Amino acid sequence: MSHINATVPYYPNDQYAGDNILGYMSRNFISLPEHLNVKEARELFLQQLNDDHFPCAVFVVSGDNLRGILSTRKLLQAPDDNHPMSQLMDTAFYHVSPDDARDVAAGLIDKHHLTLLPVIENGKLIGCLNEKEIDQMLADEVTEDAQLQGATLPLEKPYLEISPVTLWKKRAVWLLLLFIAEAYTSTVIQHFEEALESAIALAFFIPLLIGTGGNSGTQITSTLVRAMALGEVGMRDIGRILRKEMSTAVLVAITLGAAGCLRAWMMGIGPEITFIVSLTLVCVTIWSAVVSSVIPLVIKRLGIDPAVVSAPFIATLIDGTGLIIYFKIAQHFLGLN
């Protein structure tokens, strides 16, 4: 008769474990041999029970191989003591391996509302994720996504324990990459220098247009990356995502275009520039919706965490392309070369 019941979690650090399942796996579970009847299973269950943890379910095993999962409530409330325990267990269950990435387990847990997840290696039950481990893992996953979306490498320790030098290392690389990417906006402005000289009022609205496009893209990206993390959307849904975001973008664009028109009027700008600014706000908002909807899905398909290249990088891309849209519209309507 084989069972495992250790009370010490497998990971060494409750707050900042590794980013794979092994870093969170616990050996605090109860397993029962599949040949037992209900009475024998109850007796063995009570022998293994400890004061620190009352499991919602137990594992039914053959040797070290997992055969099924049995609800504790079902085991304790079964009316027939001689009934085979194996006939009460659920043989359809989800599981992970110790080398699986944390987001694999997080996706299963979120999608199927799991409170217990067995960890299996080479067919053998070696551990599990209980509610405590699941809560910690999901919290770490959300924390990492938030840090990546802010264009910084994840922290391995609590914030107050991190030195300024470590924070510099975490942030400087991404800021340099963003700096290089952002540098092309000055190239765009330089390229359209004649248009700016011909209508200096165009320069007044550059910060407004850049900020609006980036903010719009950040909103979409943040929502979409989270939906992807929860398994709600994938590449197969790209058509539905584009239709939804484009429809929303049209409504947002009309609103922002009207706001831009009002702002230009308040500044005493002429009707031509006012029209150009309003039309650009509409075009940039719609363009931002397309870019922000497609890039995270493509990045995910390439095997890269979309949170890494989400808000800051997409905002940077939209900044430069938005300026090109702005000056091209201005050249067309002002008759500039």
Side-chain angles (χ1 to χ4, degrees), residues 19-305:
D19 60 358
N20 57 20
I21 302 303
L22 185 61
Y24 294 88
M25 186 182 75
S26 170
R27 293 185 181 275
N28 188 12
F29 64 87
I30 294 177
S31 62
L32 304 172
E34 65 177 339
H35 66 268
L36 299 180
N37 60 31
V38 169
K39 180 180 179 181
E40 293 169 334
R42 282 182 189 149
E43 291 175 352
L44 185 55
F45 169 76
L46 294 174
Q47 290 175 16
Q48 297 187 54
L49 196 62
N50 62 67
D51 295 335
D52 298 328
H53 176 64
F54 189 90
C56 62
V58 296
F59 298 119
V60 181
V61 297
S62 174
D64 291 329
N65 297 319
L66 181 61
R67 297 301 188 192
I69 299 178
L70 175 59
S71 163
T72 303
R73 178 186 58 81
K74 189 180 292 186
L75 173 63
L76 296 178
Q77 294 181 352
D80 187 355
D81 287 351
N82 295 318
H83 194 77
M85 177 193 62
S86 59
Q87 294 184 11
L88 301 176
M89 69 181 183
D90 186 358
T91 57
F93 53 85
Y94 297 95
H95 65 86
V96 290
S97 72
D99 295 328
D100 282 340
R102 181 173 57 202
D103 60 344
V104 172
L108 285 175
I109 291 165
D110 281 326
K111 184 175 182 179
H112 302 287
H113 309 289
L114 304 176
T115 56
L116 180 67
L117 188 60
V119 180
I120 296 177
E121 184 175 37
N122 298 324
K124 296 182 178 182
L125 177 66
I126 63 170
C128 72
L129 299 177
N130 293 303
E131 290 186 19
K132 177 184 176 182
E133 291 76 41
I134 288 174
D135 289 344
Q136 184 62 59
M137 185 184 67
L138 295 180
D140 288 350
E141 185 71 9
V142 172
T143 299
E144 182 179 277
D145 285 347
Q147 291 169 350
L148 289 173
Q149 288 184 36
T152 180
L153 294 174
L155 305 179
E156 292 82 12
K157 298 180 180 179
Y159 172 76
L160 293 178
E161 296 180 14
I162 298 291
S163 69
V165 174
T166 302
L167 287 176
W168 166 72
K169 292 178 180 178
K170 296 288 185 182
R171 297 172 181 174
V173 174
W174 293 109
L175 289 175
L176 284 173
L177 290 174
L178 288 172
F179 175 83
I180 295 171
E182 192 73 54
Y184 84 103
T185 59
S186 59
T187 304
V188 173
I189 293 175
Q190 185 179 27
H191 180 76
F192 291 100
E193 183 179 0
E194 292 184 6
L196 279 174
E197 291 177 351
S198 302
I200 193 64
L202 292 173
F204 301 159
F205 297 94
I206 289 177
L208 172 66
L209 296 171
I210 288 178
T212 299
N215 292 338
S216 176
T218 298
Q219 285 184 331
I220 297 170
T221 302
S222 300
T223 303
L224 191 56
V225 168
R226 184 56 182 162
M228 293 168 65
L230 296 175
E232 296 175 354
V233 297
M235 182 61 79
R236 66 186 181 281
D237 304 305
I238 189 169
R240 295 172 59 190
I241 292 170
L242 281 173
R243 286 193 296 271
K244 183 185 293 292
E245 291 299 341
M246 289 297 290
S247 300
T248 305
V250 169
L251 298 175
V252 172
I254 293 172
T255 303
L256 293 177
C261 184
L262 177 62
R263 176 57 178 163
W265 174 78
M266 292 174 63
M267 295 176 64
I269 303 298
E272 273 190 316
I273 302 298
T274 298
F275 174 76
I276 289 170
V277 170
S278 299
L279 180 59
T280 301
L281 281 168
V282 172
C283 294
V284 167
T285 302
I286 294 174
W287 169 241
S288 175
V290 174
V291 171
S292 304
S293 299
V294 172
I295 287 183
L297 294 170
V298 173
I299 290 298
K300 180 69 173 179
R301 173 59 65 87
L302 295 176
I304 303 173
D305 188 343

